[in-house]
Amino acid sequence: MPYYQNVVKNNTSAQGYLTLNLYCSPMTEKPATINIIAKKAGVGLETIRYYQRIGLIEEPEKPLSGYRVYGEDTVARLLFIQRAKELGFSLAEISSLLALGDGSCLETKALAIHKLDIIKNKLHDLQAIASTLEKLIQSCESNPFHHGCPLITAISKK
Amino acid sequence: MPYYQNVVKNNTSAQGYLTLNLYCSPMTEKPATINIIAKKAGVGLETIRYYQRIGLIEEPEKPLSGYRVYGEDTVARLLFIQRAKELGFSLAEISSLLALGDGSCLETKALAIHKLDIIKNKLHDLQAIASTLEKLIQSCESNPFHHGCPLITAISKK
DNA sequence: GTAACCCCCGTACCTAGCTACAGAGTCAAG
DNA sequence: CTTGACTCTGTAGCTAGGTACGGGGGTTAC
């Protein structure tokens, strides 16, 4: 018996096979094995195993003699990890960012404020680079033979 | 004979010993050896040598049987590299960013536009994380026992 | 002039973050 | 029930980006 793949469009949740359970459903349309979620998230499956080893993502229970099944939440988490990495966060930092969302607010509020501070600094620097690049591009348009545009000064001063 | 250190305040340029040459002077108050600029830039001197080896920063000419002398521009470049690294750029990417400022605009305009695009994406993601963190902190304030705040959804969707 | 630094060059080593592979087990289509 | 694609576990190897070190020499303070 085949799974009813793609029957429920734009929805990753389905309890049993065809139940429309948009919110809080722990099941996916089709038992998603590691390779399937790896492709969905655009990472290698060895990477997923690595993240499990270091505790960045949870390893689902292994059914006695069978393959592990993953939920959509794992895909979302993997996507988050990729984007956060591109923003210069280490896996350890990403782990603590994710813990902010998982844990009790009371115990992590101070940490969240601290993280926000770091992120605002990054935002500031990125904006400075972006506006310098914009000026650079504009000055190229007005004077295509211009030579030597200072990018460094945009963010190098503390 | 000692160098007139700190005689010229807030100014890193001095041609000869006491000449006030605020702009475009290639000399520093005191011959800045590798260790001095390493400290100024807050990096290890081994790091500077490494950057020289991979061509990220230029190695000054070695005076016959003497120590290399570095300019303030090297410090600025090093600071830029540090900040850009924190923003998730690899050394190769930083190298090409810096080349944008060094090279002819004509030949690098397209590259600049491309980089700007990448940076704007990063900006977007960072802003999403920042605003989610802000909401997280606010909801903690209104309900300190709240549990489980979704950070992932902020940026995980393409 | 000599002890205490500092620089140079080369090479070896280290951590983070994957990536590959071997060997054995599992699943499902035909 | 066989075959081929997939999974599991464990371990080894790889790249980027440094970091440490050792031997040889230069420089400076005393």
Side-chain angles (χ1 to χ4, degrees), chain A:
Chain A
M1 182 185 185
Y3 296 103
Y4 288 91
Q5 239 181 320
N6 297 322
V7 167
V8 182
K9 294 261 179 189
N10 295 322
N11 173 26
T12 56
S13 300
Q15 196 118 41
Y17 288 139
L18 273 177
T19 310
L20 264 172
N21 194 343
L22 281 162
Y23 308 106
C24 307
S25 168
M27 302 291 288
T28 50
E29 294 164 356
K30 171 181 175 177
T33 54
I34 192 164
N35 209 10
I36 291 169
I37 59 151
K39 272 170 193 158
K40 273 192 184 179
V43 299
L45 76 170
E46 302 289 1
T47 304
I48 295 175
R49 290 203 223 280
Y50 173 68
Y51 288 168
Q52 287 172 341
R53 236 176 302 148
I54 63 170
L56 188 53
I57 65 175
E58 219 178 319
E59 192 164 5
E61 286 291 305
K62 187 188 169 185
L64 279 96
S65 91
Y67 299 160
R68 272 175 248 273
V69 172
Y70 295 79
E72 278 303 311
D73 53 334
T74 306
V75 177
R77 203 169 171 100
L78 284 169
L79 289 174
F80 178 86
I81 293 167
Q82 302 313 300
R83 313 295 288 274
K85 268 197 328 176
E86 285 165 19
L87 295 169
F89 295 101
S90 69
L91 296 188
E93 287 169 328
I94 293 168
S95 185
S96 74
L97 269 175
L98 287 169
L100 288 181
D102 293 342
S104 151
C105 286
L106 198 59
E107 68 200 33
T108 52
K109 188 182 150 192
L111 193 55
I113 290 170
H114 179 233
K115 291 280 170 195
L116 184 58
D117 204 53
I118 292 166
I119 287 163
K120 281 190 170 168
N121 264 323
K122 288 194 181 202
L123 266 174
H124 177 260
D125 285 351
L126 261 185
Q127 261 150 1
I129 292 182
S131 81
T132 307
L133 277 181
E134 262 160 8
K135 276 180 212 147
L136 186 61
I137 291 163
Q138 275 191 351
S139 81
C140 287
E141 267 152 19
S142 62
N143 178 10
F145 299 102
H146 181 69
H147 202 279
C149 316
L151 183 67
I152 290 177
T153 49
I155 67 163
S156 62
K157 288 166 192 165
K158 279 269 163 179

Side-chain angles (χ1 to χ4, degrees), chain B residues 19-150:
Chain B
T19 310
L20 265 172
N21 194 344
L22 280 162
Y23 308 107
C24 308
S25 168
M27 302 291 288
T28 51
E29 293 164 355
K30 173 181 173 177
T33 55
I34 192 164
N35 208 12
I36 291 170
I37 60 151
K39 272 171 192 155
K40 274 193 184 178
V43 298
L45 77 170
E46 303 289 0
T47 304
I48 294 174
R49 288 203 224 281
Y50 173 68
Y51 288 169
Q52 287 172 340
R53 236 176 300 149
I54 64 170
L56 188 53
I57 65 175
E58 218 178 319
E59 191 163 7
E61 285 293 303
K62 185 187 170 184
L64 278 95
S65 89
Y67 301 157
R68 272 175 247 274
V69 172
Y70 294 79
E72 278 303 309
D73 52 334
T74 306
V75 177
R77 202 169 172 100
L78 284 169
L79 289 174
F80 177 86
I81 293 167
Q82 303 313 301
R83 314 294 288 273
K85 268 197 328 177
E86 285 165 19
L87 294 169
F89 295 102
S90 69
L91 295 188
E93 287 169 328
I94 294 169
S95 185
S96 73
L97 269 175
L98 286 169
L100 287 181
D102 292 343
S104 152
C105 286
L106 198 58
E107 67 201 33
T108 52
K109 188 183 149 193
L111 193 54
I113 291 170
H114 179 232
K115 291 279 170 197
L116 184 58
D117 205 53
I118 292 166
I119 287 163
K120 281 190 170 168
N121 265 323
K122 288 194 180 204
L123 267 174
H124 177 260
D125 284 351
L126 261 185
Q127 262 150 1
I129 292 182
S131 81
T132 306
L133 277 181
E134 263 160 7
K135 277 180 211 148
L136 186 61
I137 291 163
Q138 275 191 350
S139 81
C140 287
E141 268 152 18
S142 62
N143 177 12
F145 299 101
H146 181 69
H147 202 279
C149 316

